[in-house]
Amino acid sequence: MLDNNKIPYAGSLDNAPVSRAATQQKMDKRALAVRSVSPSQKYSIADRLEAQAVAHGDAPFLIYQGKSYSYSEVDAQASKFAKAIQARGLMEGDVCAIAIENRPEFFFAWFGLTKLGVVVAFINTQVQGSVLEHAINTTDANVVIVGEECVQRFIDTPELANKSIWLVGDDEVVDKPVLPQWIDSSFDSDVAARSGTSCKQARGSTVGETPTLLIFTSGTTGLPKAAIYSHMRWLTSGDVMVETIDATPNDVFYCCLPLYHGAAATSVTSTALAAGSSIVVRRKFSVRQFWDDIQTHNITVCQYIGEICRYLLNYAEATGIKPKDHQLRCMLGAGLTETSWHRWLEYFGEMDVLEGWGSTEANTNLLNLDNYIGSCGRVPRWDRTNFRLVKFDTETETHVKDANGHYVLCQPGEVGEGLGMIINMPDFGGGRFEGYTSKQGTEQKILRNVFQQGDAYWRSGDLLRYDENGYFYFVDRIGDTYRWKSENVSSQEVATALAEYDGAELVNIYGVQVPENEGRAGMAAIVMQPGRQFDPQVFYALTIEKVPNYAAPQFIRVSKAADMTSTYKLRKVDLQKQGYDPVACNEPIYIRNDKLGCYQPYCESALQAAGFLPFCSNQEEK
């Protein structure tokens, strides 16, 4: 048990204790910051930008490829965009989509639209065709501001010719695309002709609860949904994080994740703007350039996703690079495993690692304020949070209920689904579920009459557990837990246990159906580091050491590349459909043989020896 007043501090490897009272004090400050903007308050993102442009003037706000843009310069550029956009007819309440990679023009267009009270839809710059068409139509946007670096995807999607496509040039594009007539290339010159003086404000009815952003979910299991973000939620998230990490104008944030995704556009940008800090913008994440950027720009705060930390650790191990001379003091993110966490501190030195849990659309979240390795947060008092963990049967994929039909709270050690009580108070924005553009999609994420008649909870779709000290641990996504040999298997826990296989870039675990067998057998898609070869005997030995026999992957697929979203989240649907069919996979497959104590290359005899039948590619539809 942990001492009541002290908790282990894992930000340093000596585990020096930190005061629990200090942690509670920080939590209290966070709770106050949630109230910084009220639902009815006439205060928007544009108001904050304009105020910070006055307060911080010549201080650097954006730094991109050696060029610095001050707060006043960013505000002036946003005003130029706003004037050009306003002259073209967009007004408060309209929706405009933007598809621009990480560069200053993304911010100029975004903030310019915000100055007019236009709702901004961030479009994934990696999609095209039906997925792109779906995204634009989902937002109800009739205008899309497109970076020249992304325009080919629109050209290849002629179904969007009925939209107004306004082009923002990109000096870094060498091979200029041939533009069809329906793409307007005059937008750049229109913006350049405007003055950067304060534009006429046109957001008269915009208040805190007014929608300002549409941010798409990752789409790991289907077409992405557009989550609604209000001015209030965006602003308060920054205010809360300023208190959390004690951010100041001296801090420098690193933005290397895609801005069209919630993490970079909300947490990084809102916190830096609230604190008057700087943001170093990198167009795309680079393993090789990461530490050069950190050291060159004296970056102090960085947002991460667990997979990019693994890439950085693997690269450091392969090259022997262990940068210690840096100013990085804080990492914010999710998905860092306990093993990688320890390795990170050993390689790169002491720093705060604030592992969290939540999602773009969530009305609740967890955050590890204590640097307690492996945990995604702690709940010291249940009366101060709208978060709840309820029992969930992974075999039947249903919630456990009591005799009265109410959901049952988990006890320490029990796995359940994370929920957020939906709070709708007129003068308080915390706990609101703002939903999606799809009413049906919104309703599907709400559970009603959970603990009493009339209540409502947002459901996360995530399985978690907590220990006796209130520390929470992410277990898996619902649906990613599968059953084999009458045992429930968490794909995430198996992946974490096997992630440190020597030479592996990543290990993706999922369940596949096996003819004439109940449940699903475990399968691993393994991507090896460049120059490294998969060793089936070594990997088998690792499974014996790390996981129970029923949880060990029965099939191995050695993949050339991971099937991931552009925000480094693993997709599994297509992998499950292909199963262990060598034709569908078209990659080396191995089959587990416990009698021989190894994984054998796929062949009929190996399949028979393991007692399996060939995979039926259409069985998922049955």
Side-chain angles (χ1 to χ4, degrees):
M1 294 288 291
L2 296 179
D3 183 275
N4 285 331
N5 299 312
K6 300 288 184 178
I7 54 178
Y9 173 68
S12 64
L13 294 173
D14 60 7
N15 288 322
V18 64
S19 167
R20 179 164 285 173
T23 301
Q24 185 59 56
Q25 184 179 34
K26 182 159 289 189
M27 294 183 77
D28 292 341
K29 287 182 178 180
R30 283 167 51 87
L32 288 174
V34 172
R35 299 177 177 272
S36 61
V37 180
S38 71
S40 60
Q41 184 177 352
K42 280 202 169 185
Y43 189 64
S44 70
I45 296 174
D47 290 311
R48 175 156 293 176
L49 172 65
E50 291 161 2
Q52 294 296 67
V54 173
H56 299 285
D58 295 333
F61 183 18
L62 303 178
I63 299 166
Y64 178 74
Q65 296 192 357
K67 181 172 176 55
S68 177
Y69 298 85
S70 69
Y71 270 82
S72 58
E73 286 174 327
V74 172
D75 183 54
Q77 288 295 327
S79 291
K80 295 176 70 171
F81 269 79
K83 290 173 182 177
I85 293 166
Q86 187 178 42
R88 288 170 173 242
L90 281 181
M91 60 183 67
E92 185 176 29
D94 288 339
V95 179
C96 179
I98 64 173
I100 304 175
E101 290 182 352
N102 285 22
R103 55 186 178 107
E105 287 76 11
F106 183 102
F107 295 91
F108 302 159
W110 169 18
F111 292 145
L113 289 162
T114 304
K115 282 175 176 280
L116 302 175
V118 175
V119 179
V120 186
F122 293 158
I123 302 300
N124 187 331
T125 58
Q126 303 299 310
V127 300
Q128 64 186 47
S130 60
V131 178
L132 177 59
E133 183 185 5
H134 162 81
I136 302 298
N137 290 335
T138 296
T139 66
D140 285 333
N142 290 317
V143 177
V144 190
I145 298 176
V146 180
E148 190 174 12
E149 70 277 19
C150 306
V151 75
Q152 189 62 51
R153 297 181 182 275
F154 285 78
I155 296 172
D156 294 338
T157 311
E159 293 82 1
L160 295 174
N162 62 332
K163 305 290 183 181
S164 296
I165 310 296
W166 301 345
L167 189 70
V168 176
D170 183 5
D171 293 338
E172 297 174 52
V173 174
V174 176
D175 297 323
K176 301 294 184 180
V178 178
L179 301 176
Q181 291 184 344
W182 51 275
I183 292 180
D184 185 351
S185 61
S186 67
F187 184 63
D188 266 347
S189 58
D190 198 355
V191 171
R194 310 287 170 172
S195 73
T197 57
S198 180
C199 67
K200 180 182 179 181
Q201 293 189 358
R203 49 184 190 273
S205 62
T206 296
V207 295
E209 64 185 359
T210 303
T212 182
L213 294 175
L214 300 177
I215 302 178
F216 283 87
T217 57
S218 298
T220 55
T221 58
L223 287 172
K225 296 189 293 291
I228 299 170
Y229 237 90
S230 67
H231 289 272
M232 171 184 63
R233 188 151 75 101
W234 192 91
L235 291 164
T236 55
S237 67
D239 293 336
V240 168
M241 288 310 299
V242 165
E243 296 295 340
T244 303
I245 65 173
D246 298 320
T248 73
N250 295 323
D251 277 307
V252 182
F253 287 71
Y254 190 45
C255 178
C256 60
L257 298 177
L259 277 163
Y260 60 75
H261 190 255
T266 58
S267 182
V268 168
T269 309
S270 62
T271 307
L273 181 60
S277 308
S278 305
I279 303 174
V280 173
V281 180
R282 171 163 279 279
R283 185 169 288 219
K284 294 180 180 178
F285 168 72
S286 168
V287 172
R288 290 178 174 81
Q289 295 298 318
F290 180 87
W291 286 109
D292 286 343
D293 284 346
I294 297 293
Q295 293 172 302
T296 299
H297 298 289
N298 293 317
I299 289 165
T300 59
V301 182
C302 178
Q303 190 159 45
Y304 69 85
I305 291 175
E307 283 305 317
I308 71 171
C309 292
R310 276 185 42 77
Y311 297 154
L312 291 164
L313 285 165
N314 289 340
Y315 182 71
E317 189 176 66
T319 60
I321 297 175
K322 288 188 177 183
K324 296 281 188 180
D325 184 20
H326 60 78
Q327 302 300 312
L328 188 60
R329 67 175 183 85
C330 183
M331 296 277 288
L332 309 168
L336 190 62
T337 66
E338 184 174 350
T339 301
S340 293
W341 198 328
H342 277 291
R343 289 176 63 202
W344 186 270
L345 297 177
E346 290 170 356
Y347 268 82
F348 306 130
E350 297 181 9
M351 66 186 73
D352 287 330
V353 178
L354 275 65
E355 172 82 5
W357 169 85
S359 68
T360 303
E361 71 273 33
N363 72 332
T364 190
N365 63 76
L366 298 169
L367 187 65
N368 186 341
L369 300 174
D370 304 327
N371 288 270
Y372 193 65
I373 288 183
S375 171
C376 60
R378 177 172 171 265
V379 176
R381 291 186 55 173
W382 288 102
D383 61 342
R384 294 190 180 183
T385 178
N386 70 327
F387 173 80
R388 294 292 183 269
L389 191 70
V390 297
K391 289 186 179 182
F392 187 85
D393 187 331
T394 55
E395 182 175 357
T396 62
E397 294 202 347
T398 58
H399 294 94
V400 177
K401 297 183 181 180
D402 62 19
N404 297 317
H406 294 146
Y407 293 63
V408 180
L409 291 170
C410 289
Q411 298 301 310
E414 295 179 338
V415 174
E417 182 180 8
L419 307 180
M421 181 173 63
I422 297 175
I423 302 171
N424 289 308
M425 298 177 64
D427 297 319
F428 175 65
R432 290 193 176 192
F433 175 47
E434 297 180 334
Y436 310 98
T437 54
S438 165
K439 291 183 179 180
Q440 180 182 4
T442 300
E443 188 60 32
Q444 287 175 345
K445 294 290 284 187
I446 298 175
L447 295 176
R448 302 187 185 278
N449 307 318
V450 175
F451 298 114
Q452 61 186 24
Q453 196 68 22
D455 66 11
Y457 282 75
W458 165 79
R459 65 173 306 187
S460 67
D462 287 342
L463 298 174
L464 302 98
R465 60 178 173 82
Y466 68 102
D467 61 27
E468 293 183 352
N469 298 295
Y471 286 98
F472 278 78
Y473 306 86
F474 177 77
V475 175
D476 219 338
R477 286 286 296 169
I478 289 176
D480 284 349
T481 296
Y482 54 90
R483 192 167 179 82
W484 181 247
K485 301 299 184 185
S486 299
E487 298 283 354
N488 292 326
V489 182
S490 164
S491 62
Q492 180 63 38
E493 289 184 346
V494 176
T496 299
L498 303 180
E500 304 309 319
Y501 169 58
D502 186 36
E505 189 67 54
L506 63 84
V507 178
N508 188 6
I509 303 293
Y510 48 97
V512 296
Q513 289 189 344
V514 180
E516 298 186 15
N517 279 267
E518 293 185 0
R520 294 172 183 261
M523 186 164 181
I526 300 176
V527 179
M528 300 300 295
Q529 297 171 18
R532 304 296 297 272
Q533 298 295 317
F534 175 70
D535 188 323
Q537 290 186 317
V538 172
F539 188 78
Y540 182 90
L542 182 67
T543 66
I544 294 296
E545 176 187 352
K546 294 291 187 180
V547 297
N549 191 59
Y550 65 83
Q554 301 300 306
F555 305 96
I556 306 294
R557 173 177 179 169
V558 182
S559 299
K560 300 180 182 68
D563 188 9
M564 307 181 81
T565 70
S566 56
T567 51
Y568 301 96
K569 292 185 178 180
L570 294 167
R571 293 189 181 97
K572 302 185 181 186
V573 174
D574 288 343
L575 295 174
Q576 288 176 317
K577 289 180 179 179
Q578 294 166 3
Y580 53 91
D581 180 355
V583 176
C585 295
N586 195 29
E587 291 178 327
I589 295 176
Y590 294 83
I591 303 170
R592 186 178 182 87
N593 189 318
D594 287 315
K595 291 181 180 179
L596 297 179
C598 68
Y599 284 94
Q600 294 179 286
Y602 185 99
C603 63
E604 285 192 18
S605 61
L607 199 63
Q608 292 173 358
F612 296 134
L613 295 174
F615 184 81
C616 179
S617 60
N618 66 349
Q619 64 190 333
E620 294 288 335
E621 301 172 2
K622 293 182 179 180

